[in-house]
């Protein structure tokens, strides 16, 4: 009996020593469209994590419910994901849903972007070892699922290839403080081709070094693939190089990239997503046929003054009619603790990036003013966009102007009221469904530190938008949006 009591006491001591923690976040949304049938959009995304000592488990629940009648594209979606991980010192074994990026994404990039509503996840087994000399090794075997929000509905972009297998290995090491290296291999097994070698391989490595104020990084990746349908091997190559020079108050970043048949597959989704030099996130085809470079400079010559300038250019190898370049200058100045002024000027030209648009050029100045006094915050933001757009079949391009004005008032940390207005001075049926004015009113109520309610009533202009090289066209919206974010 004493031995049993002793064993029970030891077990209780171990249980007490291990910390049990539970955390999570839930985002619930409801949209009501002011259309002819008053369509609705219901969405809920819950992520829950429980950890106990070296063990951790998480569950993710996602619900998307558009109102009936369900059209061919607007279909409900319900997902239930889980993850179980064992993580003693220097080791982790995980089974379930996870995100993983090798290097800068030339070989593999699976990630989530809540703001852009893009969830590209892997589902399977992953092992990670943390070795001496700053070395990490990752081994994985999984399947990809790419959920994307487009045209006011969620889609599984790789629904036809959801059974493809992803096998990967990654090594990253920093044996000395000033230098590091890495290597990686990814193999994708699919059954869409008749060839007995119907798989794609992406492999490569990287080098990095830091010497004083200079930091350099370079990565190369090769793809050995299968020609769709007919079989046979095809090759691709991509590399990315960046360098940073930084001093107190000043920095300069330069980057160059060249991707030739690296992005895979060439359809709407990719297993890899290499970097783009364009600040707004625009890419041509996400690594299939791209070459470009970018420069970013920042300076703070005075304590309240911040300056930033960047330039990016991306184009095809042998097609001068397709590409994008963008430059932007920005300055921010704080006057005491009350006033903040910010101004920026953005110019971008896109050629054959959007569907049915041969060339679109924009020049947009933006002004932002913020004033804080006691518990009260006042903010003003305004921009005016000069647009020249050509579909490729026009004698004269469209020339029009887009305007946006936002006024905000906040009381403490609890309440924020915003009135906004967007307008365009030309009726564009294809881009904006013939609408020309979009007023909106929004209230944000921080109920507690962990619960935030946001209600928006009015209209949104929509348009072509990008994030991290992934782009979509957002349809104009008129109606009510309510969102509750809860953290626990």
């Amino acid at each position: 009996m004493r031995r049993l009591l002793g064993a029970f006491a030891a077990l209780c001591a171990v249980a007490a020593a291990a910390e049990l923690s539970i955390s999570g976040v839930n985002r619930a949304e409801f949209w009501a469209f002011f259309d002819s049938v008053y369509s609705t959009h219901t969405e809920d995304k819950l992520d829950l994590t429980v950890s106990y000592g070296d063990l951790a488990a998480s569950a993710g629940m996602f619900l998307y419910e558009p109102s009936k009648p369900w059209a061919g594209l607007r279909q409900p979606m319900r997902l239930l994901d889980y993850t179980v991980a064992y993580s003693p010192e220097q080791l982790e074994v995980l089974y379930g849903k996870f995100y993983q990026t090798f290097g800068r994404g030339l070989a593999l990039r699976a990630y989530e972007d809540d703001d852009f509503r893009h969830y590209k996840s892997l589902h399977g087994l992953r092992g990670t070892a943390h070795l001496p000399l700053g070395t990490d090794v990752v081994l994985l075997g999984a399947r990809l699922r790419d959920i994307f929000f487009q045209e006011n509905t969620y889609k599984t972009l790789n629904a036809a290839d959801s059974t493809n297998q992803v096998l990967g290995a990654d090594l990253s090491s920093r044996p000395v403080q000033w230098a590091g290296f890495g290597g990686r291999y990814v193999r994708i097994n699919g059954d869409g081709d008749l060839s007995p070698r119907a798989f794609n391989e992406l492999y490569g490595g990287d080098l990095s070094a830091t010497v004083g104020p200079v930091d350099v990084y370079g990565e190369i990746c090769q793809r050995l693939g299968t020609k769709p349908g007919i079989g046979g091997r095809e090759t691709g190559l991509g590399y990315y190089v960046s360098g940073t020079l930084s001093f107190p108050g000043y920095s300069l970043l330069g980057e160059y990239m060249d991707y030739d048949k690296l992005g895979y597959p060439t359809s709407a989704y990719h297993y890899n997503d290499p970097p783009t030099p364009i600040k707004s996130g625009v890419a041509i085809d996400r690594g299939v046929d791209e070459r470009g470079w970018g420069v970013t400079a920042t300076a703070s010559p005075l304590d309240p003054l911040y300056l930033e300038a960047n330039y990016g250019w991306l184009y095809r190898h042998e097609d001068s009619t397709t590409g994008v370049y963008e430059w932007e200058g920005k300055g921010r100045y704080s006057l005491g603790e009350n006033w903040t002024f910010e101004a920026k000027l953005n110019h971008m030209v896109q050629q054959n990036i959007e569907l049915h648009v041969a060339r679109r050029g924009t020049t947009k100045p933006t002004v932002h003013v913020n004033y804080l006094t006691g518990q009260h915050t006042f903010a003003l933001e305004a921009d005016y966009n000069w647009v020249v757009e050509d579909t490729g079949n026009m004698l004269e391009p469209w020339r029009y102007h887009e305007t946006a004005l936002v006024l905000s008032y906040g009381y403490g940390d609890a309440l924020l009221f915003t009135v906004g207005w967007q307008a365009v001075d030309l009726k564009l049926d294809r881009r904006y469904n013939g609408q020309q004015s979009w007023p909106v009113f929004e209230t944000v109520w921080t109920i507690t530190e962990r619960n935030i309610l946001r209600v928006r009533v009015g209209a949104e202009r929509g348009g072509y938008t990008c994030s991290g090289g992934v782009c979509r066209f957002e349809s104009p919206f008129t109606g009510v949006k309510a969102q509750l974010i809860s953290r626990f």
Side-chain angles (χ1 to χ4, degrees):
M1 178 63 72
R2 290 181 179 179
R3 291 182 179 180
L4 182 60
L5 291 176
F8 180 74
L11 182 61
C12 291
V14 171
E19 296 184 358
L20 175 67
S21 64
I22 302 175
S23 61
V25 58
N26 186 79
R27 188 192 74 207
E29 295 192 28
F30 179 79
W31 301 2
F33 295 79
F34 291 169
D35 55 16
S36 59
V37 294
Y38 293 96
S39 305
T40 60
H41 165 126
T42 304
E43 178 182 338
D44 190 83
K45 183 175 181 289
L46 171 66
D47 293 305
L48 180 67
T49 301
V50 179
S51 61
Y52 183 77
D54 296 333
L55 295 174
S58 62
M61 289 173 280
F62 179 80
L63 178 144
Y64 165 62
E65 187 78 15
S67 58
K68 288 187 175 182
W70 295 331
L73 294 178
R74 290 175 56 84
Q75 294 290 328
M77 181 179 293
R78 292 176 175 81
L79 302 173
L80 175 61
D81 299 313
Y82 63 90
T83 301
V84 180
Y86 175 60
S87 306
E89 292 185 5
Q90 300 181 326
L91 178 68
E92 181 193 64
V93 179
L94 180 149
Y95 178 76
K97 172 187 171 182
F98 60 94
Y99 301 96
Q100 184 71 55
T101 298
F102 288 170
R104 298 294 174 87
L106 274 68
L108 178 68
R109 184 173 181 233
Y111 67 101
E112 68 172 340
D113 187 342
D114 272 322
D115 293 334
F116 204 57
R117 301 176 188 267
H118 188 195
Y119 308 99
K120 188 165 69 168
S121 55
L122 293 168
H123 299 256
L125 181 65
R126 183 185 69 184
T128 305
H130 306 290
L131 305 178
L133 301 178
T135 301
D136 289 338
V137 176
V138 177
L139 301 174
L140 63 87
R143 295 179 179 180
L144 180 75
R145 186 184 68 201
D146 197 342
I147 305 296
F148 190 51
F149 188 76
Q150 188 174 22
E151 298 175 352
N152 284 331
T153 188
Y154 280 96
K155 305 175 183 178
T156 303
L157 296 182
N158 66 321
D161 302 322
S162 59
T163 60
N164 287 1
Q165 298 172 335
V166 182
L167 306 175
D170 182 78
L171 167 71
S172 61
S173 182
R174 193 88 176 182
V176 293
Q177 186 176 3
W178 61 272
F181 65 91
R184 53 203 52 94
Y185 173 84
V186 175
R187 173 168 168 162
I188 300 156
N189 295 325
D191 55 4
D193 295 316
L194 301 178
S195 169
R197 301 186 66 185
F199 58 84
N200 276 262
E201 298 169 295
L202 298 111
Y203 58 89
D206 64 76
L207 294 173
S208 60
T210 302
V211 181
V214 179
D215 184 275
V216 294
Y217 177 87
E219 181 176 347
I220 187 169
C221 183
Q222 177 147 14
R223 183 176 76 89
L224 294 179
T226 305
K227 295 179 181 179
I230 62 175
R233 302 295 273 167
E234 67 176 5
T235 61
L237 180 67
Y239 59 87
Y240 172 84
V241 180
S242 68
T244 303
L245 176 65
S246 59
F247 297 98
Y250 299 88
S251 70
L252 179 65
L253 166 67
E255 54 185 351
Y256 181 83
M257 61 281 299
D258 191 316
Y259 315 130
D260 184 16
K261 299 179 182 178
L262 181 69
Y264 177 77
T266 58
S267 56
Y269 78 97
H270 284 195
Y271 292 93
N272 52 350
D273 271 317
T276 173
I278 306 302
K279 180 179 176 64
S280 59
V282 178
I284 299 174
D285 48 28
R286 298 161 62 190
V288 176
D289 182 9
E290 295 177 320
R291 176 188 292 172
W293 57 276
V295 177
T296 300
T298 65
S300 297
L302 303 173
D303 186 33
L305 177 64
Y306 172 79
L307 301 173
E308 179 180 320
N310 59 75
Y311 182 91
W313 189 22
L314 193 65
Y315 55 98
R316 290 194 189 276
H317 289 86
E318 299 180 358
D319 182 4
S320 60
T321 64
T322 301
V324 54
Y325 72 85
E326 178 185 34
W327 59 259
E328 183 178 281
K330 180 173 70 173
R332 183 173 63 246
Y333 183 79
S334 298
L335 186 61
E337 298 181 354
N338 302 99
W339 290 94
T340 301
F341 303 90
E342 180 176 299
K344 65 181 179 181
L345 178 63
N346 179 281
H347 177 72
M348 181 166 60
V349 174
Q350 302 178 64
Q351 297 185 110
N352 292 307
I353 300 297
E354 293 186 53
L355 188 64
H356 305 307
V357 179
R359 179 183 174 90
R360 188 172 194 260
T362 60
T363 302
K364 182 170 69 172
T366 303
V367 176
H368 180 87
V369 180
N370 193 84
Y371 177 65
L372 173 65
T373 174
Q375 294 286 322
H376 309 279
T377 302
F378 301 88
L380 164 68
E381 182 172 335
D383 64 62
Y384 192 80
N385 192 13
W386 284 269
V387 184
V388 179
E389 183 173 335
D390 188 351
T391 64
N393 300 310
M394 307 171 65
L395 295 177
E396 289 291 334
W398 289 325
R399 300 179 185 274
Y400 57 94
H401 308 90
E402 298 175 339
T403 306
L405 178 65
V406 178
L407 298 172
S408 299
Y409 167 73
Y411 181 75
D413 296 327
L415 291 171
L416 177 65
F417 303 97
T418 301
V419 177
W421 176 68
Q422 295 174 307
V424 61
D425 61 3
L426 181 66
K427 187 175 181 179
L428 302 169
D429 293 326
R430 182 185 57 81
R431 183 173 293 275
Y432 298 131
N433 294 338
Q435 301 178 38
Q436 293 185 256
S437 181
W438 299 268
V440 67
F441 175 76
E442 182 180 74
T443 300
V444 180
W445 178 25
T446 303
I447 305 170
T448 66
E449 292 182 355
R450 298 184 176 185
N451 296 275
I452 300 176
L453 176 65
R454 183 188 304 267
V455 178
R456 171 173 287 205
V457 182
E460 299 173 1
R461 184 170 57 197
Y464 192 73
T465 181
C466 300
S467 176
V470 182
C471 300
R472 68 164 175 246
F473 184 79
E474 294 185 353
S475 303
F477 172 85
T478 302
V480 179
K481 291 184 178 181
Q483 180 190 75
L484 176 63
I485 298 178
S486 302
R487 303 180 185 275
F488 51 90

